[in-house]
Amino acid sequence: MTGPDFEHFCRLVKDRSGLVLTPHKGYLVESRLNQVARAEGLSGVPQLLERLRLGGPSVEPLLVRCVEAMATHESFFFRDGTPFDLLAGRVLPRLVEARAATRTLRIWCAACSSGQEPYSIAILLKEMGARLAGWRLEITATDLSRSILKKAEAGLYSDFEVRRGLTDARRERWFVREEQGWRVSPDLRALVGFRPHNLLDGGFPGGFDVIFCRNVLIYFDVEQKRTVLQGMARALAEDGALFLGSAETVLGVTDAFELTPGAAGLFRRPVGERARIA
Ligand SMILES: C[S@@+](CC[C@H](N)C(=O)[O-])C[C@H]1O[C@@H](n2cnc3c(N)ncnc32)[C@H](O)[C@@H]1O
């Protein structure tokens, strides 16, 4: 896919979401746009792009659909294993000691997609049992895409989805069998609040002890990564923990975070950095 209409579309997507559509993704972009065009009763991608180019408020809902269609929503429970082992074995035990006075833990799961990531975190909190009894626990889960948030909020997963990352024991303990699949149990669901949030909008929620932002920065350019990470530095407690995806790093992007030694994917605020960033 090439031409001025397509270039215009790529710019719109990057400005709206940060997603960079490189030429080698042409086929993927075209097939996703084709689906939107068909659903909208348009003859094809050229007509869709032409309509977007007209701009204006009447085109806005169509543009939102197209931008959302460009995002990859791949996710699964306890994805990559290590971050969740580090959270349960290292980060949470330290924070439980550090927050003994307030007995409050706030976790932000940014770009949460269909919800497997925040529910995996909720399972770990629940499995800490008596150590967190009586604590105020909050997981705020956000994503750009309202349609994927609807699925996350419903918390209903197919057999295939629960097989990806969940042990039988965890599935039986934390999910309820329904006709259409497996639904997260009400006590797990109650820990997670979902809401739309665009990482590029800058209005970051604040006061978090842990932030998960995994497998989304990989789609952004370096400037956008820097903006997002600096916003997260302000949103995170000084002794808080940031988890990025296995292909993501802060190196060469920002010095607002540093890698925690011996802990792949786990980042922390360098001493004295908070004052500089504020
Ligand atoms: C590949 S999924 C990652 C899901 C989960 N974090 C994981 O690692 O399994 C990427 C998600 O990022 C979301 N996303 C893309 N651009 C975004 C933006 N600018 N702000 C917030 N979310 C965004 C997409 O809608 C998608 O659900």
Side-chain angles (χ1 to χ4, degrees), residues 58-112:
S58 64
V59 174
E60 185 60 26
L62 182 62
L63 178 57
V64 169
R65 276 195 80 172
C66 291
V67 171
E68 289 196 2
M70 293 304 109
T72 297
H73 297 301
E74 165 77 354
S75 190
F76 48 94
F77 293 100
F78 295 96
R79 185 177 188 172
D80 301 333
T82 307
F84 298 94
D85 294 343
L86 287 168
L87 180 68
R90 189 158 161 175
V91 174
L92 287 175
R94 174 175 66 73
L95 287 173
V96 165
E97 264 184 44
R99 304 290 184 271
T102 57
R103 290 160 72 84
T104 298
L105 277 178
R106 299 187 67 223
I107 298 175
W108 178 20
C109 186
C112 66

Side-chain angles (χ1 to χ4, degrees), residues 17 72-73 75 79 111 113 117 143-144 197-199 214-215:
S17 66
T72 297
H73 297 301
S75 190
R79 185 177 188 172
S113 188
E117 191 168 70
D143 199 280
L144 168 79
H197 178 260
N198 184 343
L199 287 168
R214 305 186 60 236
N215 303 305

